[in-house]
Amino acid sequence: MDWSQLLAVLATFVASSFALVRFSLVQQRQVADRFVGFLEEMVRRQEESQATFAPALRELADAVRRNTEVLERMRGRAAGR
């Protein structure tokens, strides 16, 4: 085997290795992009859920406060008998 053939084999090996590494990096980036997209979607859904729960929790807190006031008045009236 002469030097030109050896260099050709070596160049082919290096080019193939480079192509394989590049392909692997592209695949890894696609997986990472899909995962980031999934996480962003989950955050968006969580924010939407929180936005719908916030008014309901405020209404519940107001109702509990009103009920507590009514119970305090009832207790005061019962104690005054």
Side-chain angles (χ1 to χ4, degrees), residues 4 6 9 11-12 21-22 33 37 39 42-43 46-47 52 54 63 65 68-69 74 76-78 80:
S4 62
L6 185 62
V9 169
T12 303
V21 168
R22 183 175 168 90
D33 288 344
L39 290 178
M42 293 306 297
V43 167
Q46 186 68 29
E47 289 172 347
T52 57
R65 192 174 302 109
T68 302
E69 291 169 359
M74 290 173 63
R77 288 180 187 162

Side-chain angles (χ1 to χ4, degrees), residues 55-68:
L57 289 175
R58 279 192 294 273
E59 290 175 15
L60 180 61
D62 291 340
V64 168
R65 192 174 302 109
R66 285 191 306 269
N67 288 343
T68 302

Side-chain angles (χ1 to χ4, degrees), residues 1-76:
M1 188 178 260
D2 63 354
W3 286 104
S4 62
Q5 289 177 337
L6 185 62
L7 285 175
V9 169
L10 183 61
T12 303
F13 175 75
V14 169
S16 298
S17 297
F18 179 75
L20 184 60
V21 168
R22 183 175 168 90
F23 177 75
S24 297
L25 290 174
V26 167
Q27 294 297 317
Q28 183 66 27
R29 182 175 178 151
Q30 288 175 350
V31 168
D33 288 344
R34 284 195 309 256
F35 182 66
V36 168
F38 169 77
L39 290 178
E40 288 172 346
E41 179 66 19
M42 293 306 297
V43 167
R44 186 188 63 76
R45 287 183 184 179
Q46 186 68 29
E47 289 172 347
E48 288 175 357
S49 294
Q50 289 176 352
T52 57
F53 284 132
L57 289 175
R58 279 192 294 273
E59 290 175 15
L60 180 61
D62 291 340
V64 168
R65 192 174 302 109
R66 285 191 306 269
N67 288 343
T68 302
E69 291 169 359
V70 168
L71 290 173
E72 288 291 328
R73 284 195 305 263
M74 290 173 63
R75 187 177 70 162

